[in-house]
Amino acid sequence: MRQVAERAGVALATVSRAFSAPTKLSPATLRRIEQASEDLDYTVNLNARALRGQGSGVILVLLPDIGNPFFSLLLKGIEEGAREAGQAVLIGDTAGEPALRERSALQVQARAADALILLDGQVPFAAGSRGRARLLRAPVVAVSERVRDEVVPYVGIDNVAAARDVATLLADAGHQHVAHIGGPDGSSLSAERAEGFRAGAAARGLSILGTVVGRFTTESGRKAAEAILSWPQRPTAVFAASDEMAMGFIAAAQARGVSVPDEIAVVGFDDIAFSELFAPALTTVRQPRHAMGRAAADLVVRWRAGSRRSVILPHEVVMRDSFGPPRRR
Amino acid sequence: MRQVAERAGVALATVSRAFSAPTKLSPATLRRIEQASEDLDYTVNLNARALRGQGSGVILVLLPDIGNPFFSLLLKGIEEGAREAGQAVLIGDTAGEPALRERSALQVQARAADALILLDGQVPFAAGSRGRARLLRAPVVAVSERVRDEVVPYVGIDNVAAARDVATLLADAGHQHVAHIGGPDGSSLSAERAEGFRAGAAARGLSILGTVVGRFTTESGRKAAEAILSWPQRPTAVFAASDEMAMGFIAAAQARGVSVPDEIAVVGFDDIAFSELFAPALTTVRQPRHAMGRAAADLVVRWRAGSRRSVILPHEVVMRDSFGPPRRR
DNA sequence: TTGTACGCGTTATCAG
DNA sequence: CTGATAACGCGTACAA
């Protein structure tokens, strides 16, 4: 930068202003400085800028598995929102391990990132610890899955209401005996969806024959099928808390000669890309993942005292072939 | 850090060493410094460190679509390799647009990142431009898709050989008349796969009735099906340059009452997660995406003069239900 | 509108 | 093994 100043015949400060507040300069000198920078092919050093105090312009995103398409689409929304605000996105795959989560989160304490978006329902560092307290001085929002810490705003859909909608849908179609394949125990998602489904079922006199605990994977969906299909009384419909589990269930059911939706109707959750291509095409609850990502990015970017509000986005039940009324046989 | 020094009763430089080269200190003072840092809950400022000259410890990854599972799995490998080397991963979704690509790449020039991994087959900035020359002073590697610039090492599979393998496979099964659904024209991937398929077909006397240009999407696979199925002579097998196109083709074929693999055998490329769940399960070429990501990360991390070598990883043809011998009818 | 001077937090260098 | 000091590149009072 010093060289640029010399070449343009101005002071260092002027060059600095040329990049941070171009309007404050006379067009003539601005022009000269641009020319000089071009010649020397100079670029501002973002580290120096960050050090000086403007923040690093980086948003850190913590997620449990970046290979999972569900998260990568959220990430796309975040990336888009961040980019438009001139921010960059740093990712940390925590693989669900607290140690990795904390290691990544250190980027915030070390000022390499100045905001944090949580996609895995966990705030790094133990509740009440100094590490967490320090972390929460920065903008932090939770997406898709809520976190325990009440201070952290949430961006996502109303999972309770969505699951209730599914129960209503099943009841309306005439189902009376159903089953639920839930997510793992620790997750707020699992709890909310199970709760909503229960509430909706109760309200409409639907009997839930049983609930199986899965892990959001196709494999656990398969296992759930083994269990459910050998119950003494077979449900006429199943609600899975994720599309992967729904697909696993259907695959296993078909392998056993049980037809979907003719003998059992299936409803999933998330509307991942392949739900539409799956045979039978999956009826499911769509989450506006892209919009969720954007909303989260917007939240941390415009982080003022007033804006620390949760954002609940609308969900939508997408009707496809895996769902139908119960068959009289 | 100054405060830590005071509290521990040592000089600034000593505190610095405590974090960058702990072994160089006497256990006693190290202990005191750790204690003091703990008390003041101090963390090194990575911006200052980067400014001072060590590099930022960040790897920038440029990709065309982070919502695409193919890339996110590559990203997972990169993230893992980077993390183990103490590096962080910054992502830039270019959406295929040169402007966005250059904007992201600026992070390298601005010293916010000190290495670059290219997932979209394009080097930012025009060939021969000063911007590109400057960029290439940093460690840069291309993954999955080659780039024009000969200086940039490539990490991926041998696409020509893989496509040749597919042709051989078809010939061995007894097919004689086949078709190819290729990728878009600009991509080296398309060219290499088409070339390998042609070569393999020629070597075995396989006749390629025609080639359709797709865009790696299910939708373009559907369109390709419309075209191919109305050719005067119908091929008995189709090789698609991506699984998405293969699935689109199959879906459209089935919708027209053409059975796969009974009337037409289909082979895809990539082995994305859903290929196994698809009905019929897709025969395809597997790329070791995770290993590719890791290899790329390792390459930029250990970037010495000697290590600028391309890495070719082994591919594998995965046999599933969408492929079979031609039916005599 | 433009210039001067200082400090941000680290680390490399050189002494001790 | 430890201490003192300069320098990294930038932004910002403050002065002109």
Side-chain angles (χ1 to χ4, degrees):
Chain A
M1 173 157 145
R2 205 183 48 224
Q3 304 184 18
V4 174
E6 285 171 9
R7 192 173 230 273
V10 296
L12 253 71
T14 311
V15 180
S16 170
R17 278 189 276 261
F19 287 95
S20 46
T23 62
K24 295 261 176 187
L25 289 197
S26 80
T29 51
L30 182 57
R31 192 77 198 78
R32 284 220 313 286
I33 293 177
E34 279 171 351
Q35 184 56 257
S37 311
E38 181 76 12
D39 294 346
L40 277 53
D41 124 279
Y42 157 87
T43 313
V44 227
N45 183 320
L46 290 179
N47 297 302
R49 180 173 287 181
L51 175 59
R52 190 58 180 78
Q54 317 307 297
S56 56
V58 172
I59 299 173
L60 175 63
V61 179
L62 255 33
L63 33 65
D65 176 17
I66 206 201
N68 184 328
F70 179 80
F71 295 112
S72 54
L73 244 182
L74 274 172
L75 208 46
K76 196 176 178 70
I78 293 174
E79 208 270 349
E80 214 174 283
R83 185 202 320 142
E84 287 176 16
Q87 305 282 109
V89 176
L90 203 61
I91 62 167
D93 189 322
T94 67
E97 292 178 31
L100 292 183
R101 188 164 23 241
E102 298 186 359
R103 192 136 144 19
S104 271
L106 245 33
Q107 297 276 344
V108 176
Q109 333 244 344
R111 313 243 117 99
D114 36 41
L116 182 58
I117 295 182
L118 264 16
L119 263 41
D120 69 347
Q122 301 290 140
V123 181
F125 305 106
S129 70
R130 197 156 43 195
R132 180 184 294 209
R134 177 130 181 246
L135 193 64
L136 292 180
R137 295 194 46 222
V140 179
V141 337
V143 184
S144 166
E145 187 159 358
R146 292 177 191 281
V147 301
R148 299 269 178 200
D149 204 305
E150 296 295 333
V151 185
V152 178
Y154 164 74
V155 174
I157 64 167
D158 182 340
N159 284 283
V160 176
R164 202 188 305 124
D165 288 353
V166 172
T168 305
L169 183 75
L170 297 186
D172 284 349
H175 290 278
Q176 300 183 331
H177 304 285
V178 301
H180 179 51
I181 307 177
D185 277 339
S187 149
S188 75
L189 254 32
S190 310
E192 291 170 13
R193 290 175 192 170
E195 177 198 334
F197 191 56
R198 232 171 0 241
R204 303 294 295 260
L206 245 183
S207 146
I208 300 183
L209 298 180
T211 293
V212 176
V213 174
R215 285 168 311 148
F216 289 143
T217 62
T218 55
E219 189 45 39
S220 63
R222 281 202 169 89
K223 291 223 177 87
E226 304 298 328
I228 292 173
L229 294 178
S230 58
W231 286 350
Q233 183 178 5
R234 182 178 288 181
T236 60
V238 172
F239 168 46
S242 86
D243 284 353
E244 282 89 347
M245 295 195 295
M247 292 185 202
F249 176 91
I250 293 175
Q254 287 175 332
R256 288 176 61 149
V258 177
S259 145
V260 175
D262 288 346
E263 297 178 59
I264 294 195
V266 176
V267 178
F269 208 108
D270 286 347
D271 192 29
I272 63 177
F274 288 118
S275 300
E276 193 178 356
L277 244 47
F278 192 72
L282 206 60
T283 291
T284 186
V285 179
R286 173 179 300 158
Q287 299 201 52
R289 286 172 288 175
H290 192 267
M292 283 160 59
R294 277 206 72 107
D298 289 351
L299 227 52
V300 297
V301 165
R302 306 189 229 299
W303 187 262
R304 291 169 227 134
S307 68
R308 302 150 123 85
R309 272 213 315 270
S310 291
V311 178
I312 306 296
L313 265 25
H315 61 270
E316 177 191 0
V317 178
V318 183
M319 294 297 298
R320 298 208 189 90
D321 307 336
S322 71
F323 176 80
R327 277 285 173 90
R328 311 282 167 211
R329 350 167 58 207
Chain B
M1 172 157 145
R2 207 182 49 224
Q3 303 185 18
V4 174
E6 284 171 10
R7 194 176 229 271
V10 295
L12 246 67
T14 311
V15 180
S16 170
R17 278 190 277 260
F19 287 94
S20 46
T23 63
K24 295 259 174 189
L25 288 197
S26 81
T29 51
L30 183 58
R31 190 81 198 75
R32 285 218 313 287
I33 294 177
E34 279 171 351
Q35 183 56 256
S37 310
E38 181 76 11
D39 294 345
L40 277 52
D41 132 273
Y42 156 87
T43 312
V44 218
N45 183 320
L46 291 179
N47 297 304
R49 181 173 286 182
L51 175 57
R52 191 57 181 78
Q54 314 309 293
S56 57
V58 172
I59 298 172
L60 175 63
V61 179
L62 254 34
L63 33 64
D65 176 15
I66 206 198
N68 184 330
F70 179 81
F71 295 113
S72 55
L73 243 182
L74 274 173
L75 208 47
K76 196 177 178 71
I78 294 174
E79 210 271 348
E80 215 175 282
R83 187 203 318 142
E84 288 177 15
Q87 306 282 110
V89 176
L90 202 60
I91 61 168
D93 190 322
T94 67
E97 292 178 30
L100 292 182
R101 190 168 16 244
E102 299 186 359
R103 195 138 144 14
S104 271
L106 245 33
Q107 298 276 342
V108 175
Q109 333 245 346
R111 312 241 113 96
D114 35 42
L116 181 58
I117 295 181
L118 264 15
L119 263 40
D120 67 348
Q122 300 291 141
V123 181
F125 305 107
S129 71
R130 198 156 43 200
R132 180 184 294 208
R134 176 130 182 244
L135 194 62
L136 292 180
R137 294 195 47 221
V140 179
V141 336
V143 184
S144 167
E145 187 160 357
R146 292 175 191 281
V147 300
R148 298 269 179 202
D149 204 307
E150 296 294 334
V151 184
V152 178
Y154 164 74
V155 174
I157 64 169
D158 182 338
N159 284 283
V160 176
R164 202 187 306 126
D165 288 353
V166 172
T168 305
L169 183 75
L170 297 185
D172 284 348
H175 290 278
Q176 299 183 332
H177 304 284
V178 302
H180 178 51
I181 307 176
D185 277 339
S187 150
S188 74
L189 254 32
S190 310
E192 291 170 11
R193 290 176 193 169
E195 178 198 333
F197 191 57
R198 232 171 0 240
R204 303 294 295 259
L206 247 181
S207 144
I208 301 182
L209 298 180
T211 292
V212 177
V213 174
R215 283 168 313 148
F216 289 144
T217 62
T218 56
E219 188 46 36
S220 63
R222 282 202 169 87
K223 291 223 178 86
E226 304 298 330
I228 292 174
L229 295 178
S230 58
W231 285 351
Q233 183 179 4
R234 182 179 288 182
T236 61
V238 172
F239 168 45
S242 86
D243 284 354
E244 282 87 349
M245 293 194 296
M247 293 183 201
F249 176 90
I250 294 176
Q254 287 176 333
R256 288 176 61 150
V258 177
S259 146
V260 175
D262 288 346
E263 296 177 60
I264 294 195
V266 176
V267 177
F269 208 109
D270 286 347
D271 193 29
I272 63 178
F274 191 64
S275 299
E276 194 178 354
L277 245 47
F278 192 72
L282 207 60
T283 291
T284 186
V285 178
R286 173 180 299 158
Q287 298 201 52
R289 286 172 288 178
H290 191 268
M292 282 159 60
R294 277 206 72 108
D298 289 352
L299 227 51
V300 297
V301 165
R302 302 187 233 301
W303 187 263
R304 291 170 229 134
S307 69
R308 302 150 122 87
R309 272 214 314 273
S310 292
V311 178
I312 306 297
L313 266 25
H315 62 269
E316 178 190 1
V317 177
V318 183
M319 293 297 299
R320 299 208 189 90
D321 307 336
S322 71
F323 177 79
R327 276 289 172 89
R328 311 283 167 211
R329 348 170 57 206

